[in-house]
């Protein structure tokens, strides 16, 4: 199954979020899924928020389901992705791998 990984990004340390995305992706790939992260969908930094959300929603629509990372409900972007997934009858999974902020 092809899954889109949804995780809070705004207001967090970008390097820590990228590491978290890698950890969670590995877990779901090991379960036999193909997983797309927002960083693979939008590798270009410095673009406006609407650019990223548009590309992420487009990627999500091409997937069979979504994996919502821990703390997803506190993120407007994740909530929007969740509602798109529900509207288009995508499978919805929640991953509880704890997010760890960078200690640098």
């Amino acid at each position: 199954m092809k899954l889109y990984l949804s995780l809070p990004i705004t207001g967090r340390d970008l390097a820590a979020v990228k590491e978290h995305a890698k950890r969670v992706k590995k877990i779901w790939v090991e379960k036999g899924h193909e997983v797309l992260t927002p960083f693979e969908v939008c590798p270009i930094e410095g673009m406006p928020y609407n650019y990223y959300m548009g590309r992420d929603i487009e990627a999500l629509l091409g997937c069979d389901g979504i994996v919502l990372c821990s703390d997803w409900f506190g993120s407007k972007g994740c909530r929007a992705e969740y509602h798109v997934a529900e509207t288009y009858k995508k499978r919805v999974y929640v991953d509880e791998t704890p997010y760890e902020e960078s200690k640098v």
Side-chain angles (χ1 to χ4, degrees), residues 4 29 56:
Y4 175 78
V29 166
D56 293 342

Side-chain angles (χ1 to χ4, degrees), residues 32-77:
H33 302 286
E34 178 184 349
V35 180
L36 282 176
T37 73
F39 304 109
E40 295 162 329
V41 172
C42 302
I44 302 168
E45 292 185 27
M47 299 296 286
Y49 181 80
N50 62 325
Y51 170 81
Y52 295 117
M53 283 305 300
R55 297 289 310 271
D56 293 342
I57 297 297
E58 179 182 16
L60 169 58
L61 290 173
C63 292
D64 304 303
I66 188 171
V67 176
L68 299 162
C69 288
S70 59
D71 300 333
W72 71 271
F73 199 76
S75 163
K76 289 185 281 187

Side-chain angles (χ1 to χ4, degrees), residues 2 5 9 20-22 28 37-40 42 50 59 63 66 74-76 80 85-86 88 90 97 101-102:
K2 187 174 182 180
L5 184 66
I9 298 172
H20 184 66
K22 286 181 190 176
W28 288 85
T37 73
F39 304 109
E40 295 162 329
C42 302
N50 62 325
C63 292
I66 188 171
S75 163
K76 289 185 281 187
E86 279 221 316
Y88 287 92
K90 307 289 183 178
T97 302
E101 191 72 42
S102 187

